[in-house]
Amino acid sequence: MLQALRAELEQRQAQGLMRQRRLLDSPQAEQITADECQYLSFCSNDYLGLANRPELIAAMQDAAGNSGVGSGASNLITGHHRYHDELEKQLAEFVGMPAAMLFSTGYMANIGVLGALAGRGDAIFADKLNHACLNDGGYYSLADFQRFPHNDVQALEQLLKASTAKHKIIAADAVFSMDGDIAPLPEYLRLCEQYDAYMYIDDAHGFGVLGEHGQGSLNHFGLKSPRIIMMATLGKAAGVAGAFVAGEQVVIDYLIQTAKSYVYSTPAPPALSATLSASLKLIEQGDDLRAHLQHLIATLKHNLHLTKWQLMPSETAVQPLLVGGNDAAVKLSKHLQNQGVLVPAIRPPTVPVNTARLRISLSAAHKTQDVVKLAEMLNQAEKELAA
Ligand SMILES: *Cc1c(COP(=O)(O)O)cnc(C)c1O
């Protein structure tokens, strides 16, 4: 086996597909120290700039003093601390859902929820550009896993119409992580009602950013229904770590009993939940942060003057610049890096072939001049590289 692993790694290296972890020596912020160099970073999903906020650092230190650093046992033994419980109630109230529960990561949430709610005889209908962990949850569930073209409501309807599955679940990212566009959630809810289906919405990139006070994508569309189950991660706009699932009380009660990645796993430290409670307050009071983020998005669009490369249509903090070829995207990313600016190049299989891109991720921590600088660098780079 080791021989085979070595061969595969060598093949990756030869194809230029070997990925390296950058070594960070600074907190996650707009200026980072990576591999011992200083960079202006457009890489993080810390959309509101909360990951390094002094109030939250203090909250974590305080909470660790009160609750220690470890949860010690799984949720159904003695791992469920008051800090976890309080955060669950606050999150449910914030997103306007009857109940919520925590998971240690979004990846675990998607696997746990789909694995628990769907099984043989059921069907999951998934957008082709969904995050990898929604796919993994779908496969793991053993339900009939059907993928429809990106945001294609008609194709989805055809699949629903033809389905004889016992339970039907539409699973989709609300904001697509590599595209920044928003799923047609109102149409999905209409289809759920028409075809007796449910929807599981992954709001990793909408929570904290979209909707009133950052309540997320469902609030952005004003959607409420017992047919909706939502998940959002707490390591992106919330700036900390973890995830939660919210929905009808009976759904949450059921998942607490049956979601294996919940039942058989040690919860994140209670201090993390206390930190997230403080973060949730900052999100709720963060209209100025969201306004600044919108200003940065507009600044980027206004200052880019490109002919070959194109910003993809997105109103969110994820602003991908479509380059096309893998080598061209990597070359552009390196070119920026040499000038002290980090923007990741995203290549297949993460995105479809011939759509390699720079994933520009904006954060309220950026200053206007940071974004102007990036735009000017890209304008100049196109002249030099894409001629
Ligand atoms: C990041 C992400 C996840 C995974 O969440 P983690 O908490 O990082 O494990 C799930 N879904 C989407 C759409 C994501 O972008």
Side-chain angles (χ1 to χ4, degrees), residues 105-107 110 131 133 173 177 202 204-205 231 233 236 242:
T105 70
Y107 213 114
N110 282 349
H131 192 270
C133 57
D173 288 16
S177 50
D202 177 339
H205 302 276
M231 188 284 278
T233 60
K236 289 170 182 158

Side-chain angles (χ1 to χ4, degrees), residues 264-325:
Y264 298 106
S265 182
T266 308
L272 235 56
S273 282
T275 312
L276 280 160
S277 290
S279 162
L280 190 60
K281 288 210 184 86
L282 295 182
I283 291 175
E284 205 163 359
Q285 299 162 0
D287 285 350
D288 54 337
L289 298 176
R290 281 178 289 277
H292 181 57
L293 189 55
Q294 285 306 319
H295 160 74
L296 295 175
I297 295 167
T299 301
L300 180 67
K301 290 183 177 177
H302 180 77
N303 283 276
L304 275 183
H305 307 290
L306 300 171
T307 53
K308 291 237 170 75
W309 304 328
Q310 262 184 357
L311 271 190
M312 295 173 66
S314 159
E315 296 150 52
T316 65
V318 181
Q319 291 287 322
L321 183 71
L322 188 63
V323 173

Side-chain angles (χ1 to χ4, degrees), residues 172-212:
D173 288 16
V175 174
F176 286 82
S177 50
M178 297 301 144
D179 299 74
D181 60 341
I182 306 177
L185 301 180
E187 281 83 355
Y188 290 175
L189 183 56
R190 179 178 61 75
L191 292 179
C192 284
E193 279 156 4
Q194 192 171 344
Y195 296 97
D196 189 20
Y198 288 77
M199 58 199 254
Y200 180 58
I201 298 305
D202 177 339
D203 204 19
H205 302 276
F207 180 77
V209 176
L210 297 178
E212 207 180 342

Side-chain angles (χ1 to χ4, degrees), residues 21 28 70 75 79 81 115 122 143 191 199 221 226 312 377:
R21 300 178 300 178
Q28 199 59 250
N75 283 288
H81 190 275
D122 301 327
L191 292 179
M199 58 199 254
F221 288 112
M312 295 173 66
M377 253 181 212

